[in-house]
Amino acid sequence: MSTKTPPYWKGTNVVLDAGWGDSGKGKFVDIGSQYADVVVRWAGGPNAGHTVKNEHGEFKFHLMPSGIFNTLCILGDTVVIDPHVLLEEIDEMESRGFPLTPLNLLISADASLILEWHKHRDALTETARGGKKLGTTGRGIGPAYSDRTERTGLKMFHLYESNFEKLFEREFRWQSKLCKLMGGDHEAFDYDGMLAHLKNARERLKPMVQNVIPLIWKMHDAGKNVLGEGAQGSLLDLDLGTTPYVTSSHPTIAGFGIATGIHANKVKRVLAAVRAYGARVGDGPFPTELFDKMGEHIREVGHEYGTTTGRPRRCGWFDIIATWYGARVAGATHIALTKLDVLDDVEEIKVCTAYEVDGQKYDARNLPTIKPRFLDKAQPVYKTFPGWQVSTRSVKKFKELPIKAQKYVLFLEKHVELPIKFVSVGPDREDTIAR
Ligand code: GDP
Ligand code: IMO
Ligand code: MG
């Protein structure tokens, strides 16, 4: 696209998250998409909340790809789409002066739809877990993906089939039956209201819905700049994450391949956003979680409240073992270390360098598993760093960071064993140090 594209963003690249989500992917997709010919969002659905802060203002996107200000964006095959949420976001963009057309947004015909019953089933399943709830976002993600793997449920292209009303009626009956079996309120769904809403969505989205893979391949094969936008984080991967405390999709590089048919070995760079400390929202193991004033301090300074649900995020220290593992399964080639500025006021910063379980020490290299049966027992072993206690917010070059901050970053780089390509010191596009 642009002749000024920095070498880093040339070709087919991916931005994802190597933690439990919310590490600042949205910001880096916004940055990278300035040079992209196309952005492909591939994971999750409206459980995501991606913040973009640029010259147009601040935006919190759930389904809208974060590259939307800069280039053509695609919602890929494996994104689960709640038409209500998507239309709301399209309306918001339009009201803020960004009309959407097929020139800036395309939607895969094969994306699965999230409808009312998925949200209902999500809530019923959480209740059925008793004291072991996952703390889902309640957006119907798990049930929508279960239908997809069951090879049932409605997809985008069904809206345009000549027998759509028949398909909807069959789906309505089936889902009502399911909800009844689950002990839910199967009469809560409004047949006419839902159908009318879907017909409205069908009309509004029609110009944007198409088979997207041929276009993605054409651009990839022509050496255009294709940027994959991940969602969630690799520690939330259905299989390789802290299962069952995970989401129902594949936020790793494998997920990009499933959505696009572009194999990982054809992807040039995989930039993984990683916070300069630890955090997660929802339930599940988190060995370095802080339950004291320091945890509260990080939450307040870092504004660690869920972008989608508003829930307070659990905060803690940087965990080298979980990050090393998360970056590895993500397929990361580089790290974007985010939110370093959040630690500016902290007197002493800790980093978890090993776990102790049943009197034995484990590091990233001999981690037996990341699953709760092990992680729940892990006692973090910390190394302490002196804080730099000056603002890093306006710093533009790595060498201009306080020496103590540089040492902290270099320590993380050495032990995560991946180059830290970017250091982020604020939410704005400009608050970014490239190395
Ligand atoms: P995503 O889901 O990975 O895109 O991240 P979220 O948008 O859910 O959460 C990241 C939050 O941190 C957002 O509010 C961003 O504006 C903010 N943010 C991103 N990078 C930085 C940074 O370097 N410093 C600070 N203070 N905030 C940041
Ligand atoms: P972004 O893209 C953080 C978490 C939920 C819950 C678990 C399962 O903004 O980083 P789900 O609704 O997906 O069935 O919930 O996954 N989760 C996220 N946490 N960021 C996200 O997205 C998340 N998407 C899902 O909190 O623990
Ligand atoms: Mg988020």
Side-chain angles (χ1 to χ4, degrees), residues 202-213:
R202 171 170 78 176
E203 283 324 297
R204 290 195 59 194
L205 301 177
K206 190 173 182 182
M208 299 170 184
V209 177
Q210 67 174 61
N211 299 316
V212 297
I213 293 215

Side-chain angles (χ1 to χ4, degrees), residues 243-393:
T243 319
Y245 297 95
V246 293
T247 190
S248 299
S249 64
H250 299 289
T252 63
I253 190 62
F256 177 73
I258 294 169
T260 61
I262 297 175
H263 192 274
N265 67 9
K266 300 279 190 274
V267 175
K268 284 212 163 108
R269 297 168 204 90
V270 179
L271 180 65
V274 169
R275 283 188 191 79
Y277 49 91
R280 85 175 287 181
V281 65
D283 294 279
F286 176 14
T288 61
E289 180 170 9
L290 289 166
F291 299 94
D292 57 7
K293 287 219 163 340
M294 182 54 68
E296 277 169 38
H297 173 84
I298 295 175
R299 182 177 311 116
E300 292 315 312
V301 177
H303 303 292
E304 294 291 2
Y305 291 88
T307 312
T308 299
T309 57
R311 289 177 293 177
R313 293 181 187 138
R314 303 154 63 193
C315 295
W317 297 120
F318 192 97
D319 181 339
I320 284 179
I321 301 125
T323 309
W324 186 95
Y325 174 91
R328 181 175 182 131
V329 300
T333 59
H334 299 83
I335 300 288
L337 188 72
T338 62
K339 305 190 99 166
L340 186 71
D341 56 298
V342 173
L343 300 178
D344 283 353
D345 291 335
V346 179
E347 222 171 294
E348 276 191 340
I349 302 168
K350 293 187 179 175
V351 175
C352 169
T353 55
Y355 297 146
E356 234 172 61
V357 175
D358 300 332
Q360 211 184 315
K361 245 183 172 177
Y362 295 87
D363 61 22
R365 296 276 176 192
N366 68 351
L367 180 73
T369 173
I370 196 85
K371 307 298 182 227
R373 62 182 179 274
F374 175 80
L375 226 53
D376 277 342
K377 293 190 280 179
Q379 293 300 317
V381 178
Y382 287 118
K383 177 174 167 63
T384 303
F385 289 80
W388 41 94
Q389 298 195 281
V390 287
S391 172
T392 56
R393 264 295 175 96

